[in-house]
Amino acid sequence: MRARVGATLLRVDRIGSTNDLLRALSAGGALEGTVVVAREQTAGRGRLGRVWASPPGGLWLSVLLRPDDPTDPRLGLVVAVGVAEGARRASGVSVVLKWPNDLMLNGRKVGGILVESLPPWAVVGIGLNVDVDPARLPARVRPYAGSLAAGGGRAAVERTLAAVVQHVDEVYAAYRCGAAGAVLSRWRDLCVTLGRPVVVRAGARTIEGVAETVDAQGALLVRRSDGSVTRLLGGDVTVLSEQRGR
Ligand code: BTN
């Protein structure tokens, strides 16, 4: 039987990256569901090789999963639903999602998910800015970064951790039981970018159109002005009205 997410929870004060520690633990026999949480990361990383600033005041954790397919693009979306729902419950604010797995509040990014597949494992890193002092963030991200506290949330790292772990366990259990479709429909309900004009940058490609939906495999479908639909499994979305408003 699958162990509950968080059944084993390891706390560290300061570490390079919780994903790296969990990778090492997975090689040493750690169980599925093991969670590593750090007060601070000194070499946190985000998607697409970006630096992820992780000072105290945020929730920086990694979860060890062993799904049938550790490269399944739906994994990040499924976990994002759990994190958004956990953050909402803990803080009382309406965290929403932006494809593929950004957590947003009042138009600012408050969190993200980094899935690293290491068959048979998937190491899923979760970063959530609960109450980080903006002065501790790099100047280039400050205009776009938010926090639950700055968005009016009654946020506390410990309470948020408990809620996030519980909700991630619930969505992952549903995913493992063949109910991924139901979780993706919750993802669509929480998403703010569907139906809006977007630009997606995916490697060397730039696609402009309307973000129509996310399909059953987790791919974003973008309808271009010529009526054609482009299917994307990775990339960065900018909502055009936001970009022009900056
Ligand atoms: C993103 O680019 O949006 C994903 C950010 C993921 C950050 C988290 S913090 C905990 C875990 N450890 C890392 O080094 N990264 C992830």
Side-chain angles (χ1 to χ4, degrees), residues 215-239:
D215 71 14
Q217 287 74 44
L220 179 69
L221 304 185
V222 178
R223 187 170 294 277
R224 310 173 84 141
S225 54
D226 64 3
S228 65
V229 172
T230 303
R231 186 171 182 272
L232 294 151
L233 276 165
D236 267 330
V237 172
T238 306
V239 177

Side-chain angles (χ1 to χ4, degrees), residues 17-19 41 43-47 52 60-62 102 109 112-114 125-127:
S17 160
T18 53
N19 269 34
Q41 294 185 122
R45 59 178 175 272
R47 288 193 315 118
W52 183 266
W60 322 124
L61 74 147
S62 299
D102 286 350
K109 178 160 169 166
I113 316 285
L114 172 69
I126 298 168

Side-chain angles (χ1 to χ4, degrees), residues 15-20 36-38 41 43-54 59-63 100-103 109 111-116 123-128 236:
I15 193 153
S17 160
T18 53
N19 269 34
D20 288 340
V36 171
V37 57
Q41 294 185 122
R45 59 178 175 272
R47 288 193 315 118
L48 310 171
R50 293 179 184 136
V51 169
W52 183 266
S54 321
L59 182 58
W60 322 124
L61 74 147
S62 299
V63 184
N101 37 40
D102 286 350
L103 292 116
K109 178 160 169 166
I113 316 285
L114 172 69
V115 182
E116 296 182 329
V123 174
V124 182
I126 298 168
L128 188 59
D236 267 330

Side-chain angles (χ1 to χ4, degrees), residues 41-92:
Q41 294 185 122
T42 53
R45 59 178 175 272
R47 288 193 315 118
L48 310 171
R50 293 179 184 136
V51 169
W52 183 266
S54 321
L59 182 58
W60 322 124
L61 74 147
S62 299
V63 184
L64 188 63
L65 301 178
R66 195 181 170 128
D68 289 338
D69 176 7
T71 65
D72 184 346
R74 298 174 303 177
L75 269 179
L77 304 183
V78 165
V79 171
V81 170
V83 177
E85 292 180 348
R88 281 173 168 236
R89 201 184 87 209
S91 68

